[in-house]
């Protein structure tokens, strides 16, 4: 069996496909598909410059397609990844939780646990970081990785 450039493209596609198992972002999988299609270009006898041009064009089409069209199908509904901390949570009601390993009070925003601190207010002690589990709070802002909250009033429940 003679080694040709098509086999090299298939090895590159295989390595990119294996790398995708570690990342899960679908970028490496799209690049693996582009490399596999480039192997067809090499098998047809086109030169290296045409193969590289084909790889560039195929990657330019497949990567945005995978990231913008296919990846959202694998994300849970209602979760807007990448928006935490931009202000979209402000004013939403959350229920406090106790973290298992250290008993810290916090809330879960988009699936991530954040420790809490009560905001400065005339009616409550500001700076309090411990609340009973199940307390209703209204999210205000982030201070680093700490969620600044206020206690929910009965009319807000």
């Amino acid at each position: 069996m003679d080694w040709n450039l098509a086999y090299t493209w298939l090895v590159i596609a295989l390595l990119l496909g294996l790398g995708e198992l570690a990342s899960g972002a679908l970028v490496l999988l799209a690049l693996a598909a582009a490399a596999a299609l480039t192997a067809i270009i090499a098998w047809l006898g086109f030169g290296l410059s045409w193969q590289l041009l084909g790889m560039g064009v195929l990657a330019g089409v497949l990567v945005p397609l995978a990231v913008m069209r296919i990846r959202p199908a694998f994300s849970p509904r209602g979760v807007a990844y990448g928006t935490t901390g931009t202000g979209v949570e402000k004013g939403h009601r959350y229920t406090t939780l106790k973290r298992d390993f250290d008993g810290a009070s916090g809330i879960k925003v988009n699936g991530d646990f954040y420790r809490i601190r009560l905001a400065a207010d005339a009616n409550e002690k500001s700076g309090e970081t411990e609340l009973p589990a199940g307390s209703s709070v209204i999210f205000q802002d982030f201070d680093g990785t700490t969620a600044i909250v206020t206690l929910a009033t009965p009319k807000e429940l």
Side-chain angles (χ1 to χ4, degrees), residues 6 9-10 12-14 16 30-40 55 58 62:
W9 285 110
L10 288 175
I12 291 171
L14 178 66
L16 286 168
L31 290 175
L37 292 171
T38 303
I40 295 172
M55 177 67 180
L58 289 167
L62 293 176

Side-chain angles (χ1 to χ4, degrees), residues 18-34:
L18 288 173
E20 177 61 35
L21 294 174
S23 73
L26 293 181
V27 173
L28 293 178
L29 187 62
L31 290 175

